[in-house]
């Protein structure tokens, strides 16, 4: 999961056409959930939402990398795989992204009591940097960003789908 940072870097240096403004929130949320929540708070592992998250992410990545692998190996991808690549989000997104309200937001919410109790990743004052940070409150802030961010990402993905499928139809 940590290697996903490379996707952001690839966008920054122009190796891929994906805009960083779309890639950063997607990769950032995955890294936050993987490292900030699941790895940091093992108490969350047994929750059913973890299973839903892993299944949704796995389906997404299997389709995505199959599509890119076919394009790299053969110079094209079958139309059914193109359609899956740009359409499965419409089912999976409500369970993962907009369902951030359901799965990702749910996992953050489940971890909040453990964050508060452990004070993990908190920096209290006074300290030599004269700076304070509380992971619990930063996580609550992230919840506030997820809600308005989800419709924006969904709309972006719909536009990408329309463009990719129209381009394939014209070819």
């Amino acid at each position: 999961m940590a290697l996903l940072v490379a996707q952001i870097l690839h966008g920054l240096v122009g190796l891929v056409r994906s805009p960083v403004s779309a890639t950063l929130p997607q990769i950032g949320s995955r890294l936050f959930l993987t490292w900030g929540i699941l790895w940091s708070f093992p108490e969350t592992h047994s929750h059913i939402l973890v299973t839903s998250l892993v299944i949704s992410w796995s389906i997404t990545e299997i389709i995505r990398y199959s599509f890119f692998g076919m394009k790299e190996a053969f110079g094209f991808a079958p139309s059914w795989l193109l359609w899956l690549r740009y359409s499965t989000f419409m089912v999976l997104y409500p369970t993962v992204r907009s369902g951030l309200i359901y799965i990702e937001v749910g996992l953050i919410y489940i971890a909040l009591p453990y964050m508060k109790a452990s004070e993990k990743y908190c920096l209290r004052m006074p300290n030599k940097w004269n700076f304070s940070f509380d992971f619990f409150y930063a996580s609550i802030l992230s919840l506030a960003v997820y809600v308005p961010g989800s419709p924006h990402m969904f709309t972006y993905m719909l536009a990408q789908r329309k463009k990719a499928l129209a381009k394939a139809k014209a070819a």
Side-chain angles (χ1 to χ4, degrees), residues 56 83 87-96 154:
S56 295
W83 186 88
S87 300
T88 52
F89 80 91
M90 294 186 325
V91 173
L92 295 176
Y93 205 81
T95 63
V96 181
F154 191 79

Side-chain angles (χ1 to χ4, degrees), residues 38-141:
L38 298 174
W39 184 81
S40 300
F41 302 98
E43 301 89 347
T44 60
H45 293 182
S46 61
H47 201 280
I48 188 68
L49 290 178
V50 175
T51 304
S52 302
L53 182 74
V54 170
I55 290 169
S56 295
W57 280 358
S58 297
I59 290 168
T60 300
E61 296 307 324
I62 288 167
I63 292 168
R64 185 168 173 252
Y65 286 108
S66 296
F67 174 79
F68 289 131
M70 292 284 286
K71 282 193 77 157
E72 283 297 314
F74 304 113
F76 72 96
S79 59
W80 61 267
L81 191 54
L82 174 77
W83 186 88
L84 280 175
R85 163 80 174 99
Y86 288 99
S87 300
T88 52
F89 80 91
M90 294 186 325
V91 173
L92 295 176
Y93 205 81
T95 63
V96 181
R97 285 278 163 247
S98 217
L100 292 170
I101 313 284
Y102 305 116
I103 296 176
E104 293 184 4
V105 164
L107 285 170
I108 296 167
Y109 181 77
I110 289 162
L112 288 175
Y114 305 112
M115 289 177 202
K116 185 102 172 141
S118 71
E119 294 194 351
K120 191 177 262 188
Y121 310 127
C122 290
L123 181 63
R124 302 277 180 237
M125 288 184 48
N127 59 54
K128 66 181 179 181
W129 298 290
N130 201 26
F131 174 80
S132 180
F133 177 79
D134 192 316
F135 191 64
F136 173 79
Y137 291 111
S139 296
I140 290 173
L141 181 62

